[in-house]
Amino acid sequence: MRRAKVRFTYSDYLLLPEDKRHEILDGELYVVAAPNTGHQRISRKLAVALSQHIDGRGLGEIFSAPYDVILSEENVVQPDILFVRKERSSIIGDMNLQGAPDIVIEILSEGTRRKDTEVKRKIYAGFGVAEYWIVDPEGATVEVLVWSESGYMTAGVYRRSDRLASPALPDLNLPLSQVFA
């Protein structure tokens, strides 16, 4: 059987039912499963800690999934958490984000591990996302990746007993024991 190579776009995305989360990665449509309880706990704790740090200093805004990030017509993602610097707030729209966030945070699950660590890593690098944090609940680690012209470079891998630092948030000193509690 022959099949046509169909590429999905943001226009197609808008026609999808809203009862499920979807993403388009390089024109391919993905259905995103609802996160489990552990994922939700980590996401909430991390978003709250980052919001307190960022809001208290007037650095910008934090958003959590579900929230559409339109990188291009064929790349529409819903990162678990994202940060946009105040100076770049013009990319924040009423319905979505139009462009690359300054920090994207993905929390791994069994079903998303490969997509997050391989496919999305390349897409985020291709669109110039300055920092990409990969949170691994299983290993209780956060890998902070920093953009370079040749792809992401690891700035640090932080464990439960460490304090997370971020080049994009220079005075961040977040105890991960709170996030992975």
Side-chain angles (χ1 to χ4, degrees), residues 134-136 139-144 154 156-165 174-181:
I134 300 174
V135 180
D136 184 354
T141 62
V142 178
E143 181 177 12
V144 175
T154 300
V157 177
Y158 302 90
R159 295 174 180 11
R160 179 190 321 254
S161 59
D162 296 333
R163 292 181 165 272
L164 186 132
L174 176 64
L176 288 179
S177 59
Q178 294 175 0
V179 173
F180 291 115

Side-chain angles (χ1 to χ4, degrees), residues 47 51 60-65 67 69 79-84 92-93 97:
S51 290
E61 288 191 69
I62 289 282
F63 294 92
S64 297
Y67 184 63
V69 175
D80 292 310
I81 303 169
L82 62 97
F83 166 67
V84 177
I92 301 169
L97 190 74

Side-chain angles (χ1 to χ4, degrees), residues 35-50 64 80-81 105-109 133-142 160 174 176-181:
N36 65 29
T37 303
H39 180 287
Q40 288 286 55
R41 286 182 178 136
I42 290 169
S43 181
R44 177 181 46 81
K45 290 174 183 178
L46 192 52
V48 167
L50 288 172
S64 297
D80 292 310
I81 303 169
I105 302 168
E106 295 285 6
I107 301 167
L108 302 179
S109 66
W133 299 6
I134 300 174
V135 180
D136 184 354
E138 212 172 274
T141 62
V142 178
R160 179 190 321 254
L174 176 64
L176 288 179
S177 59
Q178 294 175 0
V179 173
F180 291 115

Side-chain angles (χ1 to χ4, degrees), residues 46-172:
L46 192 52
V48 167
L50 288 172
S51 290
Q52 289 171 346
H53 178 82
I54 289 162
D55 293 348
R57 290 163 179 77
L59 300 176
E61 288 191 69
I62 289 282
F63 294 92
S64 297
Y67 184 63
D68 293 340
V69 175
I70 316 304
L71 297 170
S72 72
E73 274 297 303
E74 293 186 347
N75 287 284
V76 181
V77 294
Q78 290 193 2
D80 292 310
I81 303 169
L82 62 97
F83 166 67
V84 177
R85 287 189 344 258
K86 178 175 60 178
E87 300 82 26
R88 298 185 63 242
S89 65
S90 62
I91 68 172
I92 301 169
D94 290 335
M95 300 295 293
N96 52 44
L97 190 74
Q98 303 262 335
D102 295 288
I103 298 175
V104 165
I105 302 168
E106 295 285 6
I107 301 167
L108 302 179
S109 66
E110 192 173 314
T112 67
R113 181 176 295 274
R114 185 179 165 279
K115 182 176 66 166
D116 289 342
T117 59
E118 295 177 27
V119 179
K120 282 185 160 182
R121 178 181 176 142
K122 290 176 185 171
I123 289 171
Y124 291 146
F127 284 95
V129 174
E131 277 188 31
Y132 180 30
W133 299 6
I134 300 174
V135 180
D136 184 354
E138 212 172 274
T141 62
V142 178
E143 181 177 12
V144 175
L145 302 164
V146 179
W147 186 88
S148 76
E149 288 183 15
S150 60
Y152 283 117
M153 307 296 286
T154 300
V157 177
Y158 302 90
R159 295 174 180 11
R160 179 190 321 254
S161 59
D162 296 333
R163 292 181 165 272
L164 186 132
S166 162
L169 301 169
D171 54 344
L172 182 68

